[in-house]
Amino acid sequence: MRAKLPRLVVTFSTTAAAMEMERYCQANGISGRLIPTPREITADCGLAWSAPSEAESAVLQAANNGCIEYAAVYHLVI
Amino acid sequence: MIYLDNAATTLYKPEGVIEAVVNAMQTAGNAARGAHSASLGAAGMVYDTRRKLAALFGCPRADHVAFTPNATAALNIAIYGLLAPGEHAITTDLEHNSVLRPLYDLEERGMALDFVPADRRGCIRYEDFEALIKPNTKAIVCTHASNLTGNALDIVRIAGIAHRHGAYLIVDAAQTAGSFPIDMTAMGIDVLCFTGHKGLMGPQGTGGLCVRPDVELRPLLRGGSGVQSHNRHQPDNYPTRLEAGTLNSHGIAGLNAAVDYLSSEGVETLYRREHERMEQFYDGVSAIDGVTVYGDFSAARRAAIVSLNVRDFDSSMVADVLFTDYGIATRAGAHCAPRMHAALGTTDQGAVRFSFSPFNTEEEIRTAVEAIREISQE
């Protein structure tokens, strides 16, 4: 498998919230992309937002600014 | 993109399907809601689609083909329409949540529910149905083929058991409608639930159920029907009994064209074609060290699905690498089939599902096998 890197992973309770996150981050130049939720995380939605760990404050700020409900925030090496 | 997620939805649709949807969006009125040409044209097309689906699935009456938005809605209509608290139902570990969740809900309301277990290959023992039958068993509800392993069930055998004990058989054909030859009368199916956007290659938002005449399903939804407007109740007659509200005529027009395509190509021909791809992939990945393939590949007929894991790698990450590094679309995770994963021992790891269509090429399969080989070596 490819080299593993430390990543911020944000999970959601619904696919709609994941889509909203992608839309908001892309529109506002926030780094990251949607990934299949890693199995080590228990999540209701199969999609999670993955971004470089150092982007945590920007990503969470984006979620707050966009009124996007996320379920949990993880720091994983994936 | 190499699209190997056809068990979720078929991406390639015959050109005629697309043209039919576009044409319907330009011409179709509301079926059964008027006597002008736009409405009558839509009503005629919808009825023509019922006739074609009845012929395709061996349903004795076209008016016993009711349309729904998907297989889940059809299964909800069938399950809630037939089963009630105080009765007993039998299902299997192979089921999708579209079967499990309605049954669990009824169980919480007082219906008894039993499961035929699956082994680590995803296979069941048919004698277990017999053993679970009770005097109040009203129905067996089962999939035609697992959406995770592709294993198919012997529907004729299950129907025989159900009918010997006076029970009904509801079949979830989400993975087989359009892909397997199905004759519900010959097979003994009382209610056949299907989706239009997978093997049938129609639009998403289409599906339905074929109900054997003499099976009485209580309506799940009540509302506009275009007939008997002064009646306080949903009309009794099929298909109106099961179709409250405006139908998806645009989608049904596409489904109509899809059935034409299947009929002209031949379901068996398309089945063989996608199975050649499945077997090519299975043969390739089975020989790779560290790859675990799930399911029974010795059966004569199975859905064109191969689910696997690579070593102890997270299935979600394997699927992500397949897409981002190789452009191969698959489906990882739990596949809405929690009991099947439990039986296979893959609840934690999940699995990567590859599902094929008649339009996949040998070259695409070679690329997919090589991708798995490379991932397994890392």
Side-chain angles (χ1 to χ4, degrees):
Chain A
M1 295 264 263
R2 64 192 171 201
K4 295 188 175 187
L5 298 168
R7 301 285 292 182
L8 176 79
V9 177
V10 181
T11 62
F12 307 92
S13 296
T14 66
T15 301
M19 292 294 120
E20 187 62 31
M21 185 71 173
E22 181 184 49
R23 185 175 296 237
Y24 190 89
C25 288
Q26 287 180 348
N28 292 280
I30 309 295
S31 62
R33 68 180 178 95
L34 288 173
I35 62 168
T37 305
R39 294 301 298 175
E40 59 205 279
I41 297 174
T42 301
D44 293 329
C45 173
L47 295 171
W49 187 257
S50 171
S53 286
E54 57 271 23
E56 177 172 5
S57 61
V59 168
L60 298 185
Q61 189 67 47
N64 289 332
N65 291 347
C67 298
I68 300 160
E69 286 188 24
Y70 55 89
V73 178
Y74 299 86
H75 288 276
L76 303 175
V77 178
I78 54 175
Chain B
M1 176 172 63
I2 297 174
Y3 187 80
L4 299 177
D5 197 15
N6 293 282
T9 194
T10 46
L11 191 62
Y12 173 80
K13 309 294 184 187
E15 200 59 42
V17 173
I18 296 159
E19 289 169 3
V21 173
V22 171
N23 180 57
M25 292 191 76
Q26 293 168 330
T27 59
N30 195 333
R33 298 295 192 275
H36 51 77
S37 60
S39 175
L40 288 175
M45 177 277 298
V46 167
Y47 187 69
D48 186 54
T49 312
R50 296 190 205 280
R51 293 184 63 215
K52 288 176 179 174
L53 287 165
L56 182 70
F57 294 136
C59 183
R61 293 180 56 151
D63 63 1
H64 278 53
V65 178
F67 290 110
T68 63
N70 45 51
T72 293
L75 284 159
N76 272 262
I77 290 170
I79 290 168
Y80 285 102
L82 204 56
L83 290 159
E87 296 173 337
H88 174 239
I90 301 171
T91 187
T92 80
D93 276 349
L94 277 66
E95 307 308 319
H96 187 277
N97 275 335
S98 55
V99 167
L100 295 174
R101 284 175 171 167
L103 289 176
Y104 286 144
D105 178 60
L106 280 167
E107 186 181 33
E108 288 171 8
R109 299 182 197 198
M111 185 195 77
L113 179 64
D114 279 307
F115 285 86
V116 170
D119 62 21
R120 305 243 338 159
R121 285 195 313 154
C123 298
I124 61 167
R125 296 188 323 144
Y126 291 89
E127 312 86 87
D128 289 344
F129 283 106
E130 290 276 8
L132 291 171
I133 292 276
K134 296 178 180 176
N136 65 338
T137 302
K138 183 75 174 290
I140 294 174
V141 189
C142 69
T143 187
H144 195 178
S146 163
N147 72 309
L148 175 53
T149 64
N151 288 4
L153 296 184
D154 185 342
I155 295 298
V156 174
R157 190 167 174 186
I158 298 169
I161 296 167
H163 294 164
R164 264 201 305 284
H165 297 278
Y168 294 102
L169 175 61
I170 299 171
V171 171
D172 170 10
Q175 293 300 332
T176 58
S179 299
F180 282 32
I182 295 175
D183 183 332
M184 66 179 285
T185 303
M187 295 166 78
I189 298 169
D190 296 298
V191 186
L192 178 77
C193 301
F194 63 92
T195 187
H197 69 97
K198 295 183 179 179
L200 284 169
M201 293 187 274
Q204 295 176 11
T206 63
L209 61 168
C210 299
V211 185
R212 181 175 62 76
D214 304 327
V215 175
E216 299 289 328
L217 294 181
R218 292 181 298 275
L220 183 67
L221 299 175
R222 294 159 180 84
S225 59
V227 297
Q228 302 181 36
S229 290
H230 298 285
N231 183 347
R232 290 167 62 97
H233 304 285
Q234 188 69 14
D236 257 351
N237 314 73
Y238 286 107
T240 311
R241 175 198 289 228
L242 305 180
E243 290 178 345
T246 295
L247 290 173
N248 174 13
S249 294
H250 303 143
I252 292 169
L255 190 55
N256 187 311
V259 177
D260 283 346
Y261 177 84
L262 285 173
S263 300
S264 68
E265 294 289 315
V267 170
E268 193 67 51
T269 302
L270 295 171
Y271 173 87
R272 289 287 155 216
R273 208 184 295 163
E274 68 181 15
H275 268 250
E276 284 172 15
R277 298 288 86 77
M278 179 203 74
E279 285 163 9
Q280 180 191 351
F281 182 77
Y282 174 75
D283 290 343
V285 295
S286 299
I288 299 173
D289 184 42
V291 171
T292 304
V293 178
Y294 304 97
D296 174 15
F297 286 79
S298 65
R301 198 177 280 280
R302 70 189 325 285
I305 292 170
V306 179
S307 288
L308 57 80
N309 273 313
V310 183
R311 307 194 187 283
D312 61 350
F313 298 163
D314 179 345
S315 64
S316 298
M317 293 304 99
V318 172
D320 193 44
V321 170
L322 282 168
F323 186 67
T324 54
D325 293 2
Y326 299 92
I328 299 170
T330 61
R331 171 93 186 272
H335 312 90
C336 300
R339 295 185 73 99
M340 190 72 265
H341 273 287
L344 298 175
T346 51
T347 298
D348 292 333
Q349 191 177 10
V352 188
R353 182 182 70 185
F354 296 76
S355 48
F356 306 91
S357 103
F359 305 104
N360 286 128
T361 65
E362 287 185 43
E363 180 58 32
E364 287 178 329
I365 304 305
R366 274 195 291 273
T367 301
V369 170
E370 280 313 303
I372 289 296
R373 190 186 314 281
E374 288 180 18
I375 290 170
S376 74
Q377 290 167 351
E378 292 177 23

